[in-house]
Amino acid sequence: MKIGTKGKKIIAKVGLELMKVNFIMEHFFKWGEKEILKKLVVKNERNRPVGAQEEKYYIVTNLMRAFEKKIKENSLAPSVKSWVFNKLIGDVLLNWAERYPEAARRRKLETALPIFMTISPTQTCNLACTGCYAASSKKTAVTLDWDVLDRVVLQKRDLWGSHFTVISGGEPLLYESKGKTIFDLYEKHNDNFFLMYTNGTLIDKTVAKRLADLGNVAPAISVEGFEEETDARRGKGVYKKIVEAIENLKEAGVLYGISFTATRKNVDKILDDDFVDEFFGEKGAAFAWMFQYMPIGRGPDFDLMITPEQRRNLWFQERHLIKDKGIFFIDFWNGGPISDGCIAAGRKGGYLYMDWHGNMMPCVFIPYSVGNIKTDFFDKGKTLDDVLETPFFKNIRKWQDNYSYKKSSLDIGNEIVPCPIRDHHSEFNKIARESDALPVGETAKRSFKDEKFINDLTEIGKKAAEATEDLWKNEYHKIEDPSKVDIS
Ligand code: SF4
């Protein structure tokens, strides 16, 4: 029997009611975990290294458990739960293929079909953190026109069936264009879920309540460790404001997480158990994203990049957080095995980036553009699909395919170092030159042709690969009979 759209909505509504009964909810989540284990580890249809499949399983189920815990504690605003069951399950997941038949067809093929976009709608920020890629003075800060922002979010949904948008900065809460703020975006596109990177300092009780009422936004607050480390990078008094913001979010019932940047100076402390226990225990964070400092943006500094040895040590601590502590934790680089390598340039299941000018780039960490979405694409009758078809995007995807994405089993390149620009820089530089990519910002313009920059970054990448090669070979390619995986 075929269940129609109305029927699916009713199922989601009934599901939401049933979730109020703890016993049923526990069984539902247990059943979900088993299904995920079967799909990822036992079936493993793309024949990826079994260790990588296991990590994916941990990551997905850790997020589910964090959500389950919040429901049990009754600490989420009704609108958040309602969004997950009515919008995400009812509207998006159950009806996806019917609503977006073209995207469903493309998803089956091995073509570019990103599942999300990261957008920085404004360069404006009330802080000036060391090494920030937004890198502007207040006077020169640029903001994206509302009509462009609105059109992009609509178009990615209609063309790709994408319902997930990451909003980055500057500080998104300062976005203003044509009388609209970032809340107008969240409200208008309430079939999208938004992850919003924010410095947290502007989340007072009113902002927290607005986010709770919306239900489709999860802030990721930037911290650098405890007070000393956070204030050292972000400015004096910032940590105290973050702690207040977290209290406000908790009180309002908003699902939130943290994000941080590992540098050579803080990396040995940033993931220690005290820090993690504080934020994931007492403070109630549900997820964490970690970025390793990149020498782009304001004042690039190679001495802030973590060393290859630190990167290796980080891998062990990250596995401890994911497997022993059950935390949804993703390192944008070391987490490569979880995403089947680099996800940039609109790869299938991946993403692309648009900045405050409307420059279209393969990734937040690749400051090279293929043009402006308004003047080079929309005004010429082109769409987001045409961005994916530019030589630069295509050549990056080709690199990804050859490095790991389309390789099978033992041939797959080391995905702990998956990044073309950071870990394989001379190859990246060649692709950028051959594809006529346009460097964005002074640092990229300088480094594009700076032999020393290119050689130094390439060397760091090589050493990081050497430092992690044994982990990739031994920890991910365990030869195991999948039928013996315990799914009881
Ligand atoms: S380019 Fe690098 S940072 Fe960007 S998605 Fe790929 S691996 Fe990650």
Side-chain angles (χ1 to χ4, degrees):
M1 187 182 68
K2 199 166 171 354
I3 303 169
T5 307
K6 220 170 170 191
K8 288 173 182 172
K9 279 197 172 177
I10 293 169
I11 292 173
K13 275 218 165 81
V14 173
L16 176 59
E17 287 309 308
L18 289 175
M19 287 303 119
K20 289 176 183 158
V21 184
N22 266 354
F23 171 76
I24 294 175
M25 181 177 68
E26 275 167 22
H27 275 270
F28 173 76
F29 277 99
K30 273 213 177 95
W31 169 82
E33 285 187 15
K34 266 192 208 170
E35 290 304 306
I36 291 164
L37 187 66
K38 263 194 232 164
K39 184 171 168 45
L40 290 176
V41 183
V42 180
K43 288 193 184 152
N44 187 8
E45 278 162 5
R46 289 192 71 240
N47 192 23
R48 308 303 290 177
V50 68
Q53 294 303 100
E54 256 175 35
E55 273 181 12
K56 289 174 197 162
Y57 163 75
Y58 276 107
I59 281 295
V60 177
T61 53
N62 288 353
L63 189 63
M64 284 168 61
R65 283 180 196 177
F67 188 65
E68 183 187 1
K69 184 167 168 255
K70 298 261 172 208
I71 298 182
K72 273 191 188 160
E73 292 167 351
N74 203 17
S75 59
L76 287 178
S79 57
V80 179
K81 284 184 275 183
S82 159
W83 193 90
V84 170
F85 285 99
N86 292 334
K87 281 270 171 234
L88 179 68
I89 298 179
D91 277 357
V92 179
L93 296 179
L94 293 177
N95 290 307
W96 194 88
E98 283 163 38
R99 283 195 187 189
Y100 310 100
E102 177 57 11
R105 186 189 69 77
R106 283 166 73 181
R107 190 181 267 191
K108 285 197 185 127
L109 306 169
E110 284 294 322
T111 58
L113 192 72
I115 55 169
F116 74 103
M117 248 182 98
T118 296
I119 302 173
S120 294
T122 183
Q123 199 178 16
T124 310
C125 189
N126 55 331
L127 303 181
C129 308
T130 317
C132 170
Y133 67 79
S136 80
S137 74
K138 284 209 177 88
K139 275 188 211 147
T140 56
V142 178
T143 289
L144 195 64
D145 182 80
W146 164 262
D147 295 333
V148 174
L149 176 61
D150 183 40
R151 187 166 169 187
V152 164
V153 176
L154 258 184
Q155 200 170 89
K156 78 180 182 64
R157 186 200 67 183
D158 293 343
L159 288 177
W160 307 331
S162 158
H163 288 79
F164 179 42
T165 310
V166 178
I167 298 293
S168 189
E171 172 51 50
L173 291 168
L174 290 173
Y175 175 76
E176 260 190 273
S177 167
K178 296 190 170 148
K180 308 281 189 192
T181 70
I182 204 68
F183 289 103
D184 291 296
L185 185 78
Y186 300 153
E187 202 170 352
K188 178 167 180 191
H189 298 278
N190 74 349
D191 58 357
N192 256 255
F193 194 80
F194 294 90
L195 171 69
M196 172 177 71
Y197 288 107
T198 167
N199 63 42
T201 59
L202 302 171
I203 303 180
D204 57 15
K205 285 191 189 308
T206 313
V207 168
K209 172 84 175 52
R210 285 189 82 178
L211 293 171
D213 289 345
L214 284 163
N216 63 336
V217 190
I221 299 184
S222 311
V223 286
E224 309 298 332
F226 287 118
E227 187 161 6
E228 190 186 332
E229 296 84 18
T230 300
D231 285 4
R233 176 161 184 241
R234 298 192 169 264
K236 201 162 168 36
V238 168
Y239 186 79
K240 285 205 172 77
K241 286 191 183 154
I242 287 173
V243 172
E244 261 178 57
I246 287 172
E247 281 312 309
N248 294 336
L249 291 170
K250 266 175 72 181
E251 195 184 299
V254 178
L255 192 74
Y256 89 94
I258 53 174
S259 78
F260 35 89
T261 305
T263 68
R264 195 171 300 182
K265 289 180 189 159
N266 71 6
V267 67
D268 297 327
K269 277 167 102 181
I270 199 164
L271 291 188
D272 70 17
D273 282 6
D274 286 351
F275 171 75
V276 169
D277 290 345
E278 170 84 16
F279 277 86
F280 284 85
E282 170 76 6
K283 290 192 165 38
F287 55 87
W289 297 97
M290 196 184 81
F291 305 95
Q292 298 174 20
Y293 172 81
M294 275 283 281
I296 57 174
R298 178 173 24 218
D301 183 354
F302 274 77
D303 290 341
L304 280 178
M305 286 185 81
I306 65 171
T307 65
E309 293 69 34
Q310 285 177 322
R311 190 155 169 184
R312 179 184 167 86
N313 293 340
L314 199 54
W315 184 91
F316 286 99
Q317 181 61 3
E318 288 167 350
R319 266 59 213 165
H320 166 62
L321 298 185
I322 294 169
K323 293 191 175 178
D324 306 335
K325 289 205 166 270
I327 290 173
F328 179 93
F329 173 94
I330 294 193
D331 173 337
F332 227 56
W333 286 276
N334 285 13
I338 294 165
S339 56
D340 296 337
C342 171
I343 58 169
R347 193 200 81 183
K348 186 180 177 189
Y351 95 120
L352 63 160
Y353 173 56
M354 178 172 75
D355 75 359
W356 37 79
H357 291 282
N359 286 320
M360 301 307 290
M361 298 181 245
C363 168
V364 175
F365 296 97
I366 299 185
Y368 294 82
S369 161
V370 292
N372 184 282
I373 192 64
K374 183 170 184 314
T375 52
D376 295 315
F377 291 91
F378 289 165
D379 288 355
K380 293 181 177 165
K382 296 180 180 177
T383 68
L384 287 174
D385 269 347
D386 294 295
V387 173
L388 302 180
E389 290 308 308
T390 54
F392 187 41
F393 273 55
K394 278 167 91 172
N395 287 335
I396 289 183
R397 293 201 301 272
K398 201 163 150 198
W399 182 90
Q400 292 164 342
D401 289 349
N402 291 335
Y403 182 72
S404 75
Y405 187 64
K406 286 204 177 154
K407 288 281 173 75
S408 69
S409 209
L410 292 170
D411 250 5
I412 298 173
N414 179 352
E415 287 182 338
I416 308 172
V417 284
C419 183
I421 187 161
R422 181 190 185 101
D423 303 323
H424 308 272
H425 192 73
S426 61
E427 290 173 54
F428 167 80
N429 188 268
K430 191 165 175 276
I431 293 172
R433 283 172 192 238
E434 288 174 0
S435 320
D436 293 327
L438 307 162
V440 175
E442 285 315 308
T443 305
K445 277 178 196 153
R446 265 198 318 274
S447 58
F448 192 39
K449 291 189 177 149
D450 178 346
E451 288 304 323
K452 181 162 168 29
F453 181 98
I454 297 165
N455 292 338
D456 287 356
L457 200 48
T458 303
E459 204 45 36
I460 290 172
K462 270 189 195 151
K463 290 201 171 125
E466 280 162 23
T468 53
E469 195 57 29
D470 64 317
L471 300 176
W472 175 243
K473 288 212 169 106
N474 302 330
E475 299 295 325
Y476 289 92
H477 293 83
K478 293 174 225 159
I479 306 299
E480 226 173 57
D481 178 355
S483 63
K484 291 195 184 131
V485 176
D486 179 13
I487 52 168
S488 58

